[in-house]
Amino acid sequence: MTIGIIGSGAIGTAFARTLARAGLEATISNSRGADSLEGLVREIGPSIKAGSREEAARADIVFVAVNWTKLPAAVAGLPDWKGRIVIDANNPIEAPLFKPADLGGRVSSEVFADLVPGARVVKAFNHLRAELLATDPRSDGGRRVLFYSGDDITAKAEVASLIEQIGFVGIDLGSLAVGGKLAQFPGGPLPNLNLVKIG
């Protein structure tokens, strides 16, 4: 299984650190090119390499975390997704004002899915603050919880396996329409909750 990351902001970088801690390899990319990421990948460690957006997008699982207004450009012009898994780790807020984006009554993951036709979208990793996502998920005698949702059962199972591999406990919230709404920030009741499963 190969992993690509599109977006090297707080969440994308936190995800890369979490993968590296578990010894998993990934290619991280941003809009400024691989050279701009040399310092970051050197700091994170050898399992994470810098690449182009196209290289990251060719992975089996592609993690996307960019500013909401930049999402269309971040995934525009990429090759056909051909049923590969795309993790939507985005929140519909317009930086830097943190103004909620107008989604026309839709759940943000449904809007995101339209931008990556042919992909199997799983919503995950968007509800925890970056500093919590980047740290050891073992906490207070248990393991930190990550929520996920999606419309493809097999894709969700693969993301659940990845969540387990990196040390978190995954909780399936159901479909994008249901689970995506629960975990969406702003508006959902679950973002920023630091939940730990004991035992």
Side-chain angles (χ1 to χ4, degrees), residues 67-69 71 91-95 97-108 111 184-186:
N67 288 337
W68 184 259
T69 53
L71 262 177
N91 285 310
I93 50 175
E94 297 178 10
L97 303 176
F98 283 88
K99 176 186 174 186
D102 182 2
L103 304 178
R106 301 177 73 196
V107 174
S108 66
V111 175
Q184 181 174 297
F185 176 80

Side-chain angles (χ1 to χ4, degrees), residues 13-140:
T13 296
F15 182 63
R17 292 186 195 283
T18 299
L19 293 174
R21 188 174 54 245
L24 298 175
E25 296 182 351
T27 299
I28 188 169
S29 67
N30 64 18
S31 61
R32 297 179 301 281
D35 290 347
S36 70
L37 295 166
E38 284 183 5
L40 177 65
V41 296
R42 195 179 313 116
E43 176 204 334
I44 293 175
S47 67
I48 306 299
K49 70 173 187 176
S52 68
R53 197 173 52 108
E54 290 76 16
E55 287 173 307
R58 283 197 290 268
D60 300 320
I61 295 179
V62 183
F63 181 96
V64 180
V66 300
N67 288 337
W68 184 259
T69 53
K70 296 179 180 177
L71 262 177
V75 296
L78 292 173
D80 193 303
W81 293 99
K82 295 181 178 177
R84 283 173 295 120
I85 296 170
V86 177
I87 296 175
D88 170 22
N90 306 282
N91 285 310
I93 50 175
E94 297 178 10
L97 303 176
F98 283 88
K99 176 186 174 186
D102 182 2
L103 304 178
R106 301 177 73 196
V107 174
S108 66
S109 285
E110 295 174 320
V111 175
F112 175 82
D114 287 345
L115 299 175
V116 288
R120 293 180 293 157
V121 174
V122 177
K123 182 76 169 183
F125 297 93
N126 68 299
H127 65 89
L128 271 185
R129 295 195 310 275
E131 61 268 24
L132 287 175
L133 180 58
T135 57
D136 192 330
R138 289 171 295 186
S139 177
D140 299 317

Side-chain angles (χ1 to χ4, degrees), residues 148-169:
Y148 63 94
S149 58
D151 298 333
D152 186 288
I153 293 172
T154 305
K156 284 200 295 184
E158 291 194 45
V159 173
S161 176
L162 175 60
I163 288 171
E164 187 72 25
Q165 274 185 276
I166 61 177
F168 289 83
V169 173

